[in-house]
Every structure is written in structure tokens, then in C-alpha cells.
Amino acid sequence: MPKRVLINGAFGRMGQRACYVLEKHTDFIVVAKTGRHDCLDDMILATQPDIVIDLTTAACVWQNAQTILQYPVYPIIGTSGLKREQITQLIDLSQKKKQGGLIVPNFSIGAILQMRCVESIAHYFSSAEIVEAHHETKLDRPSGTALRTAEQIQQVNACQPPIHSIRLPGFVARQEVVFGAPAETLTIIHHVSDREAYMPGLVLACQKVTTFEQIYYGLEYCLER
Ligand SMILES: NC(=O)c1ccc[n+]([C@@H]2O[C@H](COP(=O)([O-])OP(=O)(O)OC[C@H]3O[C@@H](n4cnc5c(N)ncnc54)[C@H](OP(=O)(O)O)[C@@H]3O)[C@@H](O)[C@H]2O)c1
């Protein structure tokens, strides 16, 4: 039975792509596309989705996440800008309610693999810096992915990598992690040239989320299951 999906932020750049990909996919039916002028509560009640994807803005994502969690649906929060303590609150609430969901700072499978490489390298290099570059309209800085990468490095070797953020036309997303040691450096670069890069991960998230019984943070939980 295809899963019913509501896409909030459906008319934005990510939202339009998500609609296009999920509408073509036999595992899913897009039952609602909502934007700034829709009432999310009313649309969830009217269309009874299994999954609600949020691809909106940092200004409204916290409110949207709380709204979505009031209903028996699986949230997938792809919007950037949630603070660490807000993520923790959402995870705690989902554990109490046994409600599956995902918060995905980066749907790109390449970005997840970059983080995995970085984690391995951090065992051997004790100094690192992160340079992340995004298009000029990205509101939040540093990016959620850079914060997550820094956290992972810190968990391995206790170094707190500085993050440098660039917001310029010409970029979609690029993250460079530079490790330094005496007389050598090692750099891992991940580069996205089009939002198409996020769609395989978004589909994977929709396929896996209904097997979860709490909210997880990161697409890696979908790759490991
Ligand atoms: N997780 C990932 O892999 C990933 C990848 C790329 C981007 N992102 C994030 O995803 C989000 C969307 O990115 P984008 O490039 O698609 O941005 P975008 O083009 O600006 O789209 C955002 C959409 O959300 C709508 N919106 C604003 N407030 C809303 C509200 N209260 N309720 C419903 N819709 C609302 C906007 O409508 P208006 O135009 O009327 O304001 C717009 O259509 C951003 O936070 C971005 O950082 C995540």
C-alpha cells in the first residue's frame, strides 16, 4: 500500500523537487502540498497522511515540528535551523510517544559518507577545520551539516573544529574538512551542484521512517537499517 505523504513547503526549491520525485514513485502518494498560506493542522486532519515532510524555513521549522508531532504521523524534518536543544526536545517527546520520525540535516548520501570518512580520520589527526559554502539565500550559518560534522570529530578526538561559513551565489552546497598534522594535511571535500543530489536520500528517508519508533537525527539511521 503506497504511503500517504504531505509536503510542507511544497512550493519552494526543495519542496517542488520532492513533489516531483515522490509523485512518480510507486511507494508513495502525495496527498497534500502545503505552503505559507495553508493551515498545517487543518491539512493534516483533512488528508490523513502517514508521513509529513517539512522543507520550509528556519523561522517556522520549530513551530511546524511541534504541530506535526501532535498527530499520528511520521515527521521528516529536512528544514535547517533547529537548535541542538530543540532537536533533543523533539527526540525526547517522540520517545515518550513512541512516534517514529527523522530530522535530516542533509539528505545527500555523499555528505553522510563524508562524515563517515571524517570520523575515521579523526582517530589519527587531532586538529581540523571545516569550511562550508552555500548559496547566498541560505539563512542559517553554520549549516546543520557542519555542526554535525564538528560534533562527530569532537566525539572522537575532543578537538572543537572551527567552522568557516561562506554564503555566495554560484554555490549550492560544498563542505571541506581539512585535517592537519605535523608536515601533512588531509582534505575531504563534498560538493553538491544541484538539489537533485538530495532526492535519493529523501526517498530513502520516506521508505525507512515508518519502521522507526522514535525520532532519529541524521540520514545515517536509514543507511544502517
Ligand atoms: N536536509 C537537506 O538535505 C536540505 C537540502 C537543501 C535545503 N535544505 C533546507 O530545506 C529548507 C528549504 O530549502 P529551499 O531551498 O527549498 O528553500 P526555499 O526555496 O526558500 O523554500 C522554502 C519554502 O517554504 C515556504 N514557507 C515559508 N514559511 C512557511 C510556513 N510557515 N509554512 C509552510 N511553508 C512555508 C516558502 O514559501 P514563501 O516562498 O512564500 O516564503 C517556500 O516556498 C531550508 O531550510 C534549507 O536550508 C535542506
Side-chain angles (χ1 to χ4, degrees), residues 8-9 11-15 35-36 55-57 60 78-80 104-107 138 195 198:
N8 191 35
F11 311 108
R13 287 162 295 187
M14 283 289 285
R36 177 189 290 283
L55 296 167
T56 58
T57 68
C60 62
T79 310
S80 320
V104 185
N106 201 320
F107 285 112
K138 184 171 173 65
R195 286 174 180 77
Y198 302 119

Side-chain angles (χ1 to χ4, degrees), residues 1-224:
M1 177 96 102
K3 289 168 195 153
R4 299 166 64 81
V5 183
L6 181 154
I7 301 174
N8 191 35
F11 311 108
R13 287 162 295 187
M14 283 289 285
Q16 286 182 48
R17 277 191 182 273
C19 290
Y20 178 75
V21 168
L22 295 177
E23 278 171 346
K24 282 197 311 182
H25 204 295
T26 51
D27 288 355
F28 307 104
I29 299 177
V30 177
V31 292
K33 301 177 189 180
T34 53
R36 177 189 290 283
H37 303 295
D38 295 299
C39 171
L40 186 53
D41 290 86
D42 288 352
M43 290 301 283
I44 292 174
L45 287 168
T47 61
Q48 301 283 306
D50 301 305
I51 298 168
V52 177
I53 305 176
D54 192 87
L55 296 167
T56 58
T57 68
C60 62
V61 60
W62 173 233
Q63 179 59 53
N64 292 345
Q66 292 177 92
T67 300
I68 297 165
L69 267 171
Q70 289 173 28
Y71 298 96
V73 298
Y74 294 92
I76 298 179
I77 310 295
T79 310
S80 320
L82 283 175
K83 296 187 179 70
R84 198 65 184 98
E85 60 272 20
Q86 294 174 330
I87 293 168
T88 304
Q89 274 189 51
L90 293 173
I91 292 173
D92 287 350
L93 181 58
S94 76
Q95 285 172 336
K96 284 191 193 109
K97 298 175 70 176
K98 293 197 185 314
Q99 184 169 5
L102 273 167
I103 298 169
V104 185
N106 201 320
F107 285 112
S108 150
I109 289 168
I112 305 308
L113 296 177
Q114 183 190 47
M115 282 195 249
R116 282 195 180 167
C117 294
V118 160
E119 204 174 346
S120 312
I121 296 164
H123 286 282
Y124 303 96
F125 283 73
S126 58
S127 302
E129 301 213 1
I130 299 170
V131 185
E132 58 96 350
H134 285 83
H135 53 92
E136 77 283 18
T137 58
K138 184 171 173 65
L139 299 178
D140 53 307
R141 66 164 72 199
S143 70
T145 305
L147 290 169
R148 181 117 176 88
T149 308
E151 263 176 30
Q152 284 188 322
I153 294 172
Q154 194 179 2
Q155 277 166 13
V156 175
N157 67 16
C159 120
Q160 281 188 311
I163 303 175
H164 311 276
S165 297
I166 297 168
R167 296 288 177 267
L168 281 177
F171 285 111
V172 176
R174 186 177 191 280
Q175 177 166 284
E176 193 171 319
V177 185
V178 187
F179 289 92
E184 64 176 335
T185 64
L186 176 55
T187 304
I188 305 286
I189 299 172
H190 176 246
H191 180 212
V192 168
S193 56
D194 188 279
R195 286 174 180 77
E196 190 182 342
Y198 302 119
M199 294 303 124
L202 186 131
V203 170
L204 182 67
C206 292
Q207 287 169 327
K208 295 284 180 167
V209 72
T210 54
T211 66
F212 295 161
E213 292 190 345
Q214 67 161 84
I215 290 180
Y216 289 105
Y217 177 49
L219 188 69
E220 53 269 40
Y221 287 94
C222 298
L223 297 180
E224 280 153 14

